Amino acid sequence: MHKAIILGQWKGELGKGLAERELACLLAVAAGQTDKEIARREGLSPRTIKGAIERCMYKIGAFKRASLVAEALRRGIIAPAACFLLALLVGLQHQQTTFTRRPETPRRVEMRVAARRDSAAWAV
């Protein structure tokens, strides 16, 4: 049986290669928190948090925070909490996205020709 950590709207499973602190930092990164915000909440140094996130990146094989979260989602290490996922699905059912485009019209090339006065030519 795996232990789960829930942080805000994210849920993470221990026992999939990450330590408890690393998983907690990964969930906080998924929630959009900075190193300083995580450190303030955990009562640790921002450098300690940065090290835990770097260890997560090394273990998962990602080198940016966004790709770290995406790869953790893909591997099933973290997932949105059930209430967040349910709210998202309900919201998507009621939202209809329509794009209004102008009707397709044929393109016209307009040429303007300067009119010469024939009367001026005849006057000479």
Side-chain angles (χ1 to χ4, degrees):
M1 181 173 146
H2 295 291
K3 184 178 172 188
I5 297 176
I6 296 176
L7 179 73
Q9 299 175 345
W10 292 93
K11 175 182 160 189
E13 294 281 332
L14 280 173
K16 294 191 177 185
L18 296 179
E20 188 173 350
R21 180 171 290 160
E22 294 168 353
L23 182 60
C25 290
L26 175 60
L27 291 172
V29 168
Q33 295 180 352
T34 63
D35 292 348
K36 287 182 181 181
E37 291 171 341
I38 301 167
R40 193 176 305 122
R41 181 179 48 86
E42 296 286 330
L44 299 169
S45 163
R47 181 64 190 117
T48 304
I49 300 301
K50 184 175 181 178
I53 293 171
E54 288 175 353
R55 286 190 302 275
C56 284
M57 289 179 174
Y58 177 76
K59 289 179 180 180
I60 291 180
F63 301 103
K64 292 187 178 182
R65 287 176 177 242
S67 61
L68 173 68
V69 173
E71 185 65 22
L73 278 168
R74 190 185 72 75
R75 291 185 186 187
I77 298 171
I78 64 172
C83 61
F84 174 73
L85 185 61
L86 181 62
L88 179 67
L89 291 175
V90 170
L92 289 176
Q93 286 179 349
H94 293 294
Q95 179 184 8
Q96 292 181 344
T97 311
T98 58
F99 296 101
T100 306
R101 298 185 72 175
R102 288 182 276 161
E104 193 67 33
T105 58
R107 295 181 180 243
R108 288 183 259 158
V109 178
E110 295 182 14
M111 294 178 52
R112 296 185 183 204
V113 179
R116 287 189 268 167
R117 294 187 176 229
D118 288 28
S119 60
W122 291 102
V124 179

